[in-house]
Amino acid sequence: MDTLSDLKMKEYKRSTLNELVDYITISRGCLTEQTYPEVVRMVSCNIFRTLPPSDSNEFDPEEDEPTLEASWPHLQLVYEFFIRFLESQEFQPSIAKKYIDQKFVLQLLELFDSEDPRERDYLKTVLHRIYGKFLGLRAFIRKQINNIFLRFVYETEHFNGVAELLEILGSIINGFALPLKAEHKQFLVKVLIPLHTVRSLSLFHAQLAYCIVQFLEKDPSLTEPVIRGLMKFWPKTCSQKEVMFLGELEEILDVIEPSQFIKIQEPLFKQIAKCVSSPHFQVAERALYYWNNEYIMSLIEENSNVILPIMFSSLYRISKEHWNPAIVALVYNVLKAFMEMNSAMFDELTATYNEKKKEKEREELWKKLEDLELKRGLRPDGIIPT
Amino acid sequence: MAGAAGPGIGPGAAGGDGDDSLYPIAVLIDELRNEDVQLRLNSIKKLSTIALALGVERTRTELLPFLTDTIYDEDEVLLALAEQLGNFTGLVGGPDFAHCLLPPLESLATVEETVVRDKAVESLRQISQEHTPVALEAHFVPLVKRLASGDWFTSRTSACGLFSVCYPRASNALKAEIRQCFRSLCTDDTPMVRRAAASKLGEFAKVLELDSVKSEIVPLFTNLASDEQDSVRLLAVEACVSIAQLLSQDDLEALVMPTLRQAAEDKSWRVRYMVADKFSELQKAVGPKITLSDLIPAFQNLLKDCEAEVRAAAAHKVKELCENLPIEGRETIIMNQILPYIKELVSDTNQHVKSALASVIMGLSTILGKENTIEHLLPLFLAQLKDECPEVRLNIISNLDCVNEVIGIRQLSQSLLPAIVELAEDAKWRVRLAIIEYMPLLAGQLGVEFFDEKLNSLCMAWLVDHVYAIREAATSNLMKLVQKFGTEWAQNTIVPKVLVMANDPNYLHRMTTLFCINALSEACGQEITTKQMLPIVLKMAGDQVANVRFNVAKSLQKIGPILDTEALQEEVKPVLQKLGQDEDMDVKYFAQEAISGIAARARKLDFPVKDSDEPSVPGADKNHFWRPRGPREDTGKFLPLMSRHKGTERLGWLPRRQERQPSVGCRCSPGQPQHWDSAAAHWGQCCQVTLCTVSRGGGM
């Protein structure tokens, strides 16, 4: 696109748009019924477009500078105008809903993929206002956001506006009525939790964690599926993501009810035990910081007879083996805390600590199995294992 | 699956019949419930062994229900399970019982993770073929219908892939139902499902009766091609290829072409890109008449599309498009309707477009013939050889052979040379690497004289490049040149220059001499190797840098087979023995490897032909001389992990000890060469091996 052609006309357009923005802000009685279709048409003509391909072949939002929209001087004014229109005291959703319909919203949602953060920011405000004012579109908007996320997670792993959409959802979830509808629970379990698997999680993790915690504050009984979901998708190779997961988990534990905690403590602490013994010291450190959290400490203390046996062998081993002295120091503090909590069990565990035995048994089993396979492969009845 | 209680299966259940050999199987089944994913995975991968041990009956009545009930696991385990079940028909008792496999696969086809679902669908497709017609109607088709009406989008997307395998073998009544199911998925509310349906539309059309294609598939196609989401519309373009193949020219014009024309001008560049990308397939599918009337104008538009992405995709197809035009009138069409647009693209603003064009444009010369090539194409080639973007120049050079056949390379040589020289000195090492790879080809086409005069010095300069990958490529390039130009040429031009480098102050260059000798010795033969190369190698055994010394040992092992026994006994052996006493343990290790390697060969020669001086058959002993891998024992040595940076390379002259820092924590087996100038090769060769061992550590 040539940004330097038709400079004069571009200037006309800009000043006209400016006038429109001023007019709609100041004037009274300007939103007659006839203006609605014209406003929506003008906005549609200007903002709805197929977004161009990304400049860099593999656009990495964390590394690369976003390509800024060339027509932003105009676009910004159009968005500005549209927001004033939606926020105007004279604005009547009952008239506007004829023009701001499902198709309009769908096109609006597609624009969230824009690489330009300025545009996404305006879109966020626009969508939020529309969601607030058009009750009839709410379910549709939620469903379409659903689809965008599912496509993002399972098909493309590419969508620039995930953080913005989650931010809007955060405020939507906040307003959900109790008891939660099945649709909302499904959204949590089948869409929000799988969002954790995406490679670019760091770009929207804060917003995602906020949504999750909002859900749990609404309905604590969702704690178990959420935590089990996080366990299922726990990062296996990416330490940065592991640290994010641990952060989110702590946010969840901050609001967990003791009765819910008991339900998930076993799988939860098995995972924490693994994190604590991670060779990546940031992961280990982040997990060990849980013991600085008073509320979490109180939960651990109440359930030390379950948690201590799970954690013990990891802690004991790291206290001897971890390469990072800071981690070893932290682990000593944790061990000390456990010792004070439940000294009888601590002593018993120290006495019976033995790690190698199980490993050996397993190795022998596999050896036997291979022998068996060899024998069976040679059997005369002709069945050969595939 | 962890912690789930399996009904009826466990150590007791399987091992209960007193057959001791079944005990490991029982434990293995127990492992299916282990907490550790890796262990469950190992167990699932042995599922066929378990089934074999249980026998067909118990596999059907116990193992499969167990698997079906406990499908909640990590996706990795589920993926392995989905794959295994595709080959399970024999293990449940053959085709008569194939339907027993459907319940677990049905569950797997509904999970969220795409990879698992796709694998389950693949296995279901496989198993469908093994069903008897009766079982297909009684079990398989109902499953497809269940999936197609599932609540969550996952099961409906999976269903899309199953229609085409069951349709041909179903009864007419069922066929109508199946078509109805597919129709409803094409208009599904969820775009994911519509995408899945659109991507299977072509495949489904192929198994339908022609009438149904016209009356049912075409409307679906038209609908999907005008979907509100461009991700759906672009998939319809793919389907268009299959559908077009099924229809007569008249039907094609009436039913498909309006949609295709619309797709080529779609407002979304993704759809236009798809049209460009599938252009050759479309061209073949619609036939020559419609190609001329419709596709060529569409192609012209794609070549000047406003999005570079689309232009590049179209540029890639230029050669195929031209090739597939009907031979009669081809030249005129290309000259009048295609070439003007190509000329524009040569000076496109986008480098991807230019480089896409450069990768195919040379192919046009064979189509257009000598005169047209010289008059019309040559100026374009020359312009592209001077392009500012190295990739464009490289693409031209890499396809020189096409032009060579038509007009001979000499026409180009004047422009070629500056282009080659510039690429050879490009700041990006990948560009240099790419041009090296074309050297043997160029040498062959330009001839030995031209080569000696203009290119030889380049080839030698690469040997002292500061990037290891370039030096390595330069070495193997020399070998290929020797194969082309012969030993005499090698002796006169290459070998002396290589050997001089043995006295270079930089130890990396001294090692390059050794690497060159490794590569050249076989091509040069016994005489040159013994008389010229061996003395140098032996002299380098006294080098002060350990890396050079152990590479001497490796070189001696490598060139050993080429030398005669006398040289081995009198010259090589004493040197290796001395190196075997070296203070550096790596040098010691490789010296011992070399001694035992050479000894093994001597023994092998001794056995069949005792007392005979018969030389070894070239190549016969090769297997004995593969490069040594790391020894099993682990000495726990830490090696520095060096990057490809110039900065570290400048330290290259330092003796190794001063550079070694035990801080990086990347441990390699001591047997591996210490590539400190090539982190990439290092990772590739040693560290990956180490990593693999670590990750397998949990299991076997």
Side-chain angles (χ1 to χ4, degrees), chain A residues 362-370, chain B residues 31 42 46:
Chain A
R362 169 156 295 124
E363 257 172 44
E364 269 170 25
L365 163 71
W366 279 96
K367 228 181 234 153
K368 267 193 197 168
L369 184 72
E370 266 168 32
Chain B
E31 295 255 275
N42 291 342
K46 294 281 175 195

Side-chain angles (χ1 to χ4, degrees), chain A residues 50-51 53 106 143 147 150-151 154-155 186 190 232 236 270 362 365-366 370 372-373 383 386, chain B residues 31 34-35 39 42 46 48 52 74 112 114 152 189 191-192 195 228 231 267 269 307 700:
Chain A
T50 308
L51 295 168
L106 201 61
K143 199 166 106 192
N147 288 339
L150 288 170
R151 180 172 178 217
Y154 294 115
E155 293 183 8
Q186 174 166 295
K190 296 216 167 188
K232 181 176 176 193
K236 297 200 172 47
K270 277 176 187 161
R362 169 156 295 124
L365 163 71
W366 279 96
E370 266 168 32
L372 178 80
E373 217 175 298
I383 306 175
T386 42
Chain B
E31 295 255 275
N34 196 292
E35 259 167 46
L39 296 174
N42 291 342
K46 294 281 175 195
S48 52
L52 201 63
E74 300 258 353
E112 255 84 25
T114 326
W152 191 239
D189 210 20
M192 275 79 71
R195 278 195 287 276
E228 63 201 4
S231 53
K267 68 178 193 298
W269 62 271
E307 289 296 349
M700 323 178 44

Side-chain angles (χ1 to χ4, degrees), chain B residues 148-344:
Chain B
S149 54
D151 278 340
W152 191 239
F153 79 96
T154 50
S155 72
R156 303 200 298 278
T157 22
S158 292
C160 293
L162 297 173
F163 291 103
S164 65
V165 289
C166 61
Y167 188 83
R169 295 169 66 206
S171 69
N172 281 338
L174 263 188
K175 277 184 174 172
E177 271 185 64
I178 294 175
R179 290 199 304 271
Q180 173 56 39
C181 270
F182 190 80
R183 266 206 305 278
S184 65
L185 292 181
C186 284
T187 52
D188 198 280
D189 210 20
T190 319
M192 275 79 71
V193 179
R194 292 203 301 278
R195 278 195 287 276
S199 69
K200 301 294 176 190
L201 184 67
E203 168 187 299
F204 189 51
K206 282 185 189 164
V207 298
L208 250 59
E209 300 75 15
L210 187 59
D211 280 345
S212 308
V213 172
K214 281 197 254 181
S215 63
E216 295 185 40
I217 294 288
V218 168
L220 292 176
F221 163 69
T222 317
N223 251 336
L224 290 168
S226 52
D227 195 276
E228 63 201 4
Q229 305 236 338
D230 60 358
S231 53
V232 179
R233 295 201 299 276
L234 65 88
L235 290 168
V237 175
E238 249 182 317
C240 184
V241 176
S242 307
I243 296 170
Q245 284 167 345
L246 303 170
L247 299 176
S248 70
Q249 286 282 312
D250 288 346
D251 288 337
L252 205 55
E253 181 54 56
L255 300 173
V256 174
M257 284 318 289
T259 311
L260 182 57
R261 276 182 215 122
Q262 181 193 317
E265 287 168 5
D266 197 282
K267 68 178 193 298
S268 162
W269 62 271
R270 291 186 187 86
V271 179
R272 300 197 303 274
Y273 173 90
M274 202 62 171
V275 175
D277 194 49
K278 297 277 163 216
F279 214 85
S280 304
E281 288 91 333
L282 287 168
Q283 185 187 359
K284 279 180 203 151
V286 300
K289 194 166 148 254
I290 295 180
T291 297
L292 294 185
S293 63
D294 275 280
L295 291 196
I296 300 261
F299 193 69
Q300 291 169 340
N301 284 333
L302 294 171
L303 285 177
K304 54 176 191 179
D305 197 277
C306 62
E307 289 296 349
E309 226 85 350
V310 179
R311 292 200 301 278
H316 260 302
K317 301 291 165 184
V318 163
K319 184 191 152 201
E320 275 181 64
L321 172 98
C322 295
E323 252 173 2
N324 296 332
L325 289 171
I327 296 187
E328 195 184 337
R330 179 162 78 176
E331 197 182 311
T332 333
I333 297 167
I334 297 175
M335 296 303 292
N336 297 334
Q337 302 192 45
I338 306 286
L339 201 62
Y341 293 88
I342 294 180
K343 281 181 182 160
E344 295 283 307

Side-chain angles (χ1 to χ4, degrees), chain B residues 390 394 420-439 458 461-462 464-471 473-474 477 644 646 649:
Chain B
L394 255 181
I420 294 173
V421 173
E422 211 175 304
L423 288 170
E425 288 159 0
D426 196 281
K428 293 195 190 76
W429 67 268
R430 284 176 203 282
V431 174
R432 299 200 297 277
L433 186 65
I435 190 75
I436 294 178
E437 277 163 17
Y438 295 115
M439 264 305 146
L458 282 179
W462 282 320
V464 292
D465 197 283
H466 60 265
V467 174
Y468 175 76
I470 299 296
R471 298 198 297 274
N477 173 44
R644 217 179 262 281
K646 263 189 177 170
E649 293 235 315

